Amino acid sequence: MPPVRGQSRRSALEAQPPAPADLARALEDFLAAHPNAVLLEDGRAAFDMREAKYSLSTEHGRCTLQLWSEERNLVRRVTGIAQRADVLKITTQKFGQAKPQTLELVADRDRRTPSARESTRKRYLKILDRVLLRNFPEWKPTGFRAAMDLERSFGPAYARGSLVRGQSAWAVIAVNAEETQSTIDGILTLGILWLAHCREKSDGKRLFQGLRIIVPRGAGTLTLSRLVWLNPNAAQWELWELDERSEELLQRDLADQGNLRTKLLHAPNEAAARERFAAAILKVRSLLPEAMLSVVEEKVRSGTELAFALHGLEFARVRMGVATNSFNRVEEITFGAGANETPLMPENEEHFRVLMVELYARRHAAGDARDLLYRMQPERWLESILRQDVSPLDEHLDAAHVYTQVPAFAASDRGMLDLLSVAKDGRLAVIELKADEDLHLALQGLDYWVRVRWHHAQNSDANAPGLGEFQRHGYFGGLPLSPLSPRLYLVASALRIHPATETVLKYLKPEVEWTLVAIDERWREKVKRVFRKQARRSA
């Protein structure tokens, strides 16, 4: 149809409704990029995508979205999509109704409006002022604010200021109870940066003796575990917890570490697992493009599960389970991920084959950097490369012994990948990977180092004298391990190392022997070390 008079050709084209396949693809891409998203209906959380399941259909010339959970079910026809930042607005219609309705997929779990967040933070500043005056009567609170400062990486979630007495001062940083747990857990990185900024700004005219951190009651466990490993010679460190209702402030004892939320599983017998799943492996490989066969990874998760991945991205898996109404063990092959995980059956083998052709065409080293499948899970891609050869990081590392996420965190995936290896001198090597810029790299690497160190310190028992916990659980093939603490390697692209990283590293205890490794941006083609910085060793 030709455009009407006064209407440009461009606007006429824009007026055409989007194709159902394009709508479905946009939804798939957003959910893949934001697996922890929340679906809002009328401003209220309707589905948590970590637990809900969904399906998309483009049959009969329309895009149909179905979501379901234990609590509810929702089916809508999708007619339009608009993305702004980390929010996907979805224009939908209920079947049999003409009036459109807007749903929102939000990546940020803090669903408060900007005005609500600002109001909470202003109210918290007033509470904080009263609490500080009452608990530190000899010190004057000065310059407290919660403003954005992008140049120095300070966000509005953190209240920052000083406690001053003559020429002495403390840097103070605090966070209110309505912020997300990840924001609360990030306070130490920002606190170190704030202390460094205060010291630099004072130019020696005022002595900032340390940092006081204030978090909500019961929310300081992770921060406490990190504080223990900050250098007491560089600054004094204090952690306080505040009950905002009673305005009671209590100091946490840095010696009280409690139990680490970590566990060490037995290393699976890879040879036995591959033999057990031989038929399933052959079946999956028979459906893959020939060119893909040489680069597919087979990752043994346990004695009852094996996953298939392309450059770190899992696309299928085989598991042993128990048959319904029976104790018989059955083998199941599935493909897809999350809510879209689907059993592989004879009737959908061709669909699986088509998906694999598309996956291989889009996810390769020379692929389009704008493509979602190319960009997805970059740390896992980097991990898959380094599992084959860690020597670009340090030629003394043993390529024959590289494990992923051992020990495992009790919490969910932190968005980062950890490798555990060993050097030729027997020292364990904790390797933290980050493909994108992240100001929390140093302390997240420390988290993993602390857990590996703890497990390594559980030396031997009567049943296995001379063997540490890692060897008793089947790791490192009986290789003798040094009793010394692990080394910590922080690995990131050279252009994506946040300036905060080196500032934070300077404040770690000397016992944390860290190495910062910068790699070339083109690591998908080949990992090349650009530079390496190490902690200064005391004489």
Side-chain angles (χ1 to χ4, degrees), residues 27 35 63 97 118 145 151 164 184 196 214 230 245 341 358 383 397 459 473 521:
L27 280 163
C63 177
Q97 297 184 13
E118 184 179 0
R145 58 193 180 277
E151 182 180 354
V164 177
I184 296 171
I214 301 175
L230 296 190
R245 290 188 176 182
E341 187 171 352
E358 181 182 8
E383 173 248 339
L397 294 176
N459 285 319
H473 282 74
E521 287 288 309

Side-chain angles (χ1 to χ4, degrees), residues 274 294-299 311 381-392 397-404 419 527:
R274 292 181 189 280
S294 62
V295 291
V296 165
E297 309 159 66
E298 298 163 8
K299 305 165 74 171
H311 302 311
W381 192 331
L382 179 57
E383 173 248 339
S384 70
I385 297 173
L386 292 175
R387 275 169 56 90
Q388 303 301 316
D389 182 15
V390 291
S391 62
L397 294 176
D398 185 353
H401 297 93
V402 183
Y403 304 96
T404 302
L419 295 176
V527 175

Side-chain angles (χ1 to χ4, degrees), residues 430-445:
V430 171
I431 305 170
E432 188 81 9
L433 308 178
K434 193 64 184 172
D436 295 319
E437 185 175 86
D438 192 327
L439 60 84
H440 301 294
L441 170 63
L443 292 186
Q444 287 179 326

Side-chain angles (χ1 to χ4, degrees), residues 181-182 184-188 218-228 239 241 252 257 260-261 409 414 443-444 446-448 451:
Q181 188 61 49
S182 62
I184 296 171
D185 289 341
I187 194 171
L188 184 53
T221 301
L222 180 61
T223 302
L224 185 65
S225 70
R226 293 171 170 179
L227 271 175
V228 175
L239 177 64
E241 292 189 350
R252 292 290 302 268
Q257 286 299 286
L260 289 174
R261 299 179 63 195
F409 276 69
R414 300 175 301 139
L443 292 186
Q444 287 179 326
L446 177 67
D447 292 339
Y448 190 46
R451 284 155 175 76

Side-chain angles (χ1 to χ4, degrees), residues 173-221:
I173 189 167
V175 62
N176 71 74
E178 291 193 32
E179 304 295 343
T180 63
Q181 188 61 49
S182 62
T183 298
I184 296 171
D185 289 341
I187 194 171
L188 184 53
T189 297
L190 277 300
I192 293 172
L193 297 182
W194 178 239
L195 173 62
H197 171 68
C198 290
R199 286 176 165 178
E200 180 183 353
K201 187 178 179 181
S202 70
D203 198 24
K205 297 177 182 178
R206 181 168 284 154
L207 176 63
F208 278 85
Q209 59 195 61
L211 174 69
R212 283 185 172 133
I213 300 170
I214 301 175
V215 299
R217 177 68 57 84
T221 301

Side-chain angles (χ1 to χ4, degrees), residues 7 93 158 169 219 309 334 354 405-406 427 441 468 487:
Q7 182 182 34
Q93 285 182 326
Y158 303 103
T334 63
V354 170
Q405 292 181 313
V406 179
R427 287 280 295 276
L441 170 63
R487 295 186 178 98

Side-chain angles (χ1 to χ4, degrees), residues 6 8 16 41 74 113 119 133-134 145 160 212 221 272 356 386 398 537:
S8 68
Q16 295 179 358
E41 184 179 22
L74 178 148
T113 64
S119 176
L133 285 170
R134 186 164 55 248
R145 58 193 180 277
R160 312 174 299 279
R212 283 185 172 133
T221 301
M356 293 305 98
L386 292 175
D398 185 353
R537 305 288 183 259

